[in-house]
Structure formats: C-alpha cells, structure tokens
Amino acid sequence: MTSDRPFSASAPPAPDFARASLFLDFDGTLVGIAPRPDAVVVPPGLATHLRRLSDALEGALAIVSGRSLPELARFLDGFDGLLVGSHGAEARGMAPPLAHAPEGIGAVQAALSAFAAREGLLYEPKTLGGAVHFRDRPAAGAAVAAFVDTLAAASPGFAVQPAKMAFELKPAGASKDRALTALSALPAFAGRAPVFLGDDATDEPALAWAGTQGGFGIKVGPGDSAARYRLPDPQAVARWLGMEG
Ligand SMILES: [Mg+2]
C-alpha cells in the first residue's frame, strides 16, 4: 500500500529487543481502563514481567504515564526501572525534574476540587495539577471542558490535557514526546529505535514522535491516530510483549 498518510490499522512486527527502546503508557495500554482511576486492576506479575523486559532491552524501557509518579510506583511495586509520571513532567531517578509545578498550583487544585464537588463529579489530585472525571456522567463533559478552559486561561503555566472521560490541568511544558526526547539521550536508550505504545489523546504526539526517530508508534484500541501500527487492547499488548504465562 502506498500512502503518505499514517496507516494505523495493521499489527506491529515483533519487538526487536536488540535494537529497539520501549516506552509504554500505563492506563489503557498495560492495564484496562477502570470506572475510577483508583479502581484499576493490575495483572498479577506485571512488575516482574516488566523487569524481565527491561533486562532483555538492557534497560531501554520506560513506563510513561499521566499518573503521578508515587501512584505509578505503587501500582508497579517490584519494578525498579524508569518511570515517567504526570504526562512527562516527572521521572523517577532523573534530576533535575523534567518540569516544575507552576505557581498557583494550590489555587488551581482547589478550584478543580470545588467544581467537581459542585457538579457531583470525581476530582483526582495530581502532583503537578488535577483532573475532573465525568465517566459517571458523560453529559457533564461540555461543562467540564468549559470550566477547565476558563481556569487554564486564568492560570499562567498550566495547560488543559484532554483524556478519556476527563479533563486535566497540567504544567504547560509537560508532554510525553518532550519527556521521550529527554530520555533518548540517556545511555541506555541512545542508538535504539524508539517504540511507543499508548491509547489516549495525550499519547498522540509521542506516537508520532517515535515514527520520526527511526521507530514507530503503536496505538492501543480504536480511534484515529498518528501511530503506524495498532493493537486492539491491553491483552494484545501483553501478548505482543511476550508477557503471557
Ligand atoms: Mg493511557
């Protein structure tokens, strides 16, 4: 097939552990989406599998999530490899931090929390921002979008991050593709072709970025994507990574 457009319907080739680096989103990629973010079910043995995967890649593996770093570390207790949280704003073991908390974060979090309480929606505090979820009440989506847009416009240093049935305010400079660019300079990743797997709007820049760096993106689940390849769900991701059994 000859086309200039990204073709993101086909299954990816098997991972090349000798030449690739792997960057994996967490929610919707390694684990299924839960009704509430704290209700996510982590498959038994996931941390052990990730440790083995990291060894096979000689350390060229990172988990790159929108979640806060401590939360991600708790879900992946037993995996001591590279973790990147808050949409690329913070990385475990990397100094200096990839991004700083903008001034006024307390006021932004208070405003999000008060709005969510007023609307009967779930507020999720994050290290460097906060999210309002409307999975329980999809009709509230437009009101949430309008509120976070207004709040972001009045809050220098913050940007809106749309997510699955949620809107979030995060540090304006934080993005997964920027984090991946920084990680690629680390010795473990240098000279390898980056492969990024993600399922969400927040993953799109990084899915496209991997394709410009000699690697490729893999979109997990349905929906338009700049990724070159696609896998249907986290179970298929686990199979592709050789994590079964
Ligand atoms: Mg995700």
Side-chain angles (χ1 to χ4, degrees), residues 25 27-29 199-200 203:
D25 170 48
D27 292 273
T29 296
D199 70 304
D200 205 346
D203 299 312

Side-chain angles (χ1 to χ4, degrees), residues 17 24 26 30 42-57 61 63 72-81 83 92 238 241-245:
F17 293 108
L24 307 172
F26 182 66
L30 288 175
V42 180
L46 179 60
T48 305
H49 282 302
L50 290 175
R51 211 164 56 218
R52 287 194 197 127
L53 201 55
S54 185
D55 287 346
L57 290 158
L61 170 72
I63 312 303
L72 197 57
R74 184 166 56 79
F75 282 124
L76 293 174
D77 185 27
F79 172 67
D80 57 4
L83 298 180
R92 180 166 73 181
L241 291 171
M243 283 184 175
E244 294 203 311

